[in-house]
Amino acid sequence: GLDIVMGNALDKLTGNVSGKKKEMLIFAILYLASGLVSFVLQNSYVAMAFLPVIFSIAKKNKISHSKMILFVIYASTLGGACTLIGTPTNIYANTALEEAGLKLFGMFDFAWVGIPIFILGGIYMIVMNRWCPSYEETVPSNSEIEAATEITPEMKKKQMVVGISFLLFVLALILDSLTDITVNPNFIGYALIAVSVLTTVVKPKEVITSFGVDMVLFCAGINLIIAVMKNSGLGEVFGAVVLIILGDTKNLYLITAVLFLGSAIATQFMATAGVLAPIGISIAESMGANPQAIVLAIAIGAGCSFLTPIASGTNQTLMIFTNLKFTDFAKFGWPLVIISFICCVGILPLVFPFF
């Protein structure tokens, strides 16, 4: 029922506006809501959670839901890139440092570059939302994810339990990332699921069926790809090419540009952060550079999953709810790659020096 609360709030906020201005305001609110939530919750989950809201808004305001879904995909991706826990890409990068026994990223180390990208990307997306592909389509009337029409007392009870549980879980994630307090977010998460069952917010059967088989298979596939890449030596090829291009240069901006572009291109066709981050550490050792800076440049590039529907799990998962074509992603996403490149090259060498 939280989707109803958000949908009604959006109607109140945009009630006195009409036409193109109302549509732009709707997209601005969607961007801020989905992007900011993605700071503390993985972008794929945020995009999925917004589906009922999107369908409700699309139906009331005669806006293409495919357009809104692509918009939220990009908004949650940009928001998730600002923190350690906002996207699997950043988590994979941190894991590579951990496995190498190196200093890990903090919760907000990504924010130095991520927030400027989030701000500039948001301005582009909101102002130029007409570039986002739009289709003549209707919301499925019998869809299970279509928003309900009213909030019942039972829904209010569920909202309270879910809201408190979510805040406690986020607090556990932040404490685990920013402090020396020993907190196991996984344990907290499972405990809160148990609380949800005991308070009848969900039934045990619903808990079990909520684990999406597609997502499980996707994660397994990603891990398989990473293993194949490591064992086949293709990742080392990337590292060798980077070292050849860079040569003996100590130019921080050139190093950042090469690492960003290489990972940004590769990520359009496969998940690259888990593959390239360990290679980045090897590159850092060869150059005598700061491994955190190298891995961060790779992570930012690998997070630019804007040009194809197969560039990330979020893109793949949400694609099935739209009428989007393969090329629609590139048409709206290419400026975001340019914005990310400029911010990464201009800011990263200043806040994370390579030498």
Side-chain angles (χ1 to χ4, degrees):
L2 286 173
D3 58 324
I4 305 168
V5 174
M6 297 175 71
N8 290 341
L10 188 68
D11 282 340
K12 291 180 180 179
L13 287 171
T14 60
N16 297 324
V17 187
S18 60
K20 291 295 182 182
K21 289 184 178 180
K22 180 172 183 177
E23 187 169 315
M24 185 177 293
L25 184 57
I26 288 174
F27 280 108
I29 294 170
L30 269 180
Y31 184 83
L32 290 173
S34 56
L36 292 176
V37 172
S38 293
F39 275 43
V40 292
L41 193 64
Q42 285 195 26
N43 51 359
S44 57
Y45 302 148
V46 173
M48 285 294 292
F50 266 76
L51 273 178
V53 184
I54 290 172
F55 275 88
S56 177
I57 296 171
K59 190 172 184 179
K60 290 180 180 179
N61 296 279
K62 308 299 180 184
I63 301 175
S64 166
H65 64 262
S66 294
K67 175 179 180 176
M68 296 178 70
I69 289 173
L70 182 59
F71 194 92
V72 168
I73 287 174
Y74 286 168
S76 60
T77 299
L78 291 170
C82 294
T83 64
L84 174 63
I85 61 174
T87 174
T89 299
N90 295 355
I91 295 173
Y92 272 131
N94 206 46
T95 300
L97 292 175
E98 184 177 19
E99 291 179 350
L102 299 170
K103 182 181 178 181
L104 303 182
F105 291 120
M107 176 74 167
F108 299 106
D109 281 347
F110 294 87
W112 290 100
V113 180
I115 289 181
I117 295 174
F118 180 73
I119 294 172
L120 294 176
I123 293 172
Y124 153 69
M125 287 175 60
I126 294 166
V127 174
M128 304 303 295
N129 74 81
R130 62 182 181 278
W131 285 11
C132 193
S134 181
Y135 292 90
E136 293 290 336
E137 56 195 358
T138 56
V139 177
S141 58
N142 295 322
S143 174
E144 292 182 2
I145 61 174
E146 185 177 0
T149 56
E150 61 180 6
I151 302 176
T152 64
E154 182 67 19
M155 283 184 178
K156 289 182 179 179
K157 172 190 172 184
K158 291 183 178 182
Q159 287 171 6
M160 182 179 69
V161 174
V162 171
I164 293 174
S165 296
F166 176 73
L167 291 175
L168 288 175
F169 182 63
V170 169
L171 179 61
L173 289 169
I174 294 174
L175 288 174
D176 185 57
S177 298
L178 298 181
T179 71
D180 294 328
I181 300 174
T182 303
V183 178
N184 188 329
N186 294 323
F187 176 79
I188 299 296
Y190 288 124
L192 293 172
I193 291 175
V195 170
S196 297
V197 173
L198 293 173
T199 54
T200 67
V201 170
V202 293
K203 299 176 182 178
K205 184 178 179 180
E206 291 175 322
V207 174
I208 296 173
T209 56
S210 69
F211 291 99
V213 175
D214 291 342
M215 182 59 70
V216 173
L217 292 176
F218 174 78
C219 292
I222 291 298
N223 290 327
L224 177 61
I225 290 173
I226 291 173
V228 170
M229 289 290 287
K230 286 183 177 178
N231 295 328
S232 66
L234 289 176
E236 283 75 6
V237 172
F238 172 86
V241 171
V242 168
L243 289 174
I244 291 172
I245 294 173
L246 294 177
D248 297 327
T249 183
K250 298 295 183 180
N251 187 310
L252 304 184
Y253 298 99
L254 177 60
I255 295 171
T256 307
V258 171
L259 290 170
F260 176 92
L261 290 173
S263 54
I265 292 171
T267 202
Q268 307 309 323
F269 307 100
M270 65 178 185
T272 58
V275 177
L276 299 184
I279 306 305
I281 295 172
S282 299
I283 293 173
E285 293 173 350
S286 301
M287 300 175 62
N290 176 8
Q292 274 194 316
I294 297 286
V295 172
L296 193 53
I298 290 174
I300 295 170
C304 292
S305 52
F306 305 121
L307 302 182
T308 69
I310 60 174
S312 75
T314 306
N315 296 11
Q316 294 179 12
T317 304
L318 274 294
M319 180 77 171
I320 61 175
F321 298 101
T322 73
N323 294 306
L324 296 171
K325 299 176 183 177
F326 195 95
T327 54
D328 288 338
F329 284 78
K331 288 179 181 178
F332 191 54
W334 67 265
L336 295 175
V337 177
I338 294 175
I339 291 170
S340 300
F341 174 77
I342 293 172
C343 290
C344 184
V345 175
I347 299 173
L348 185 59
L350 301 178
V351 296
F352 272 89
F354 288 88
F355 302 100

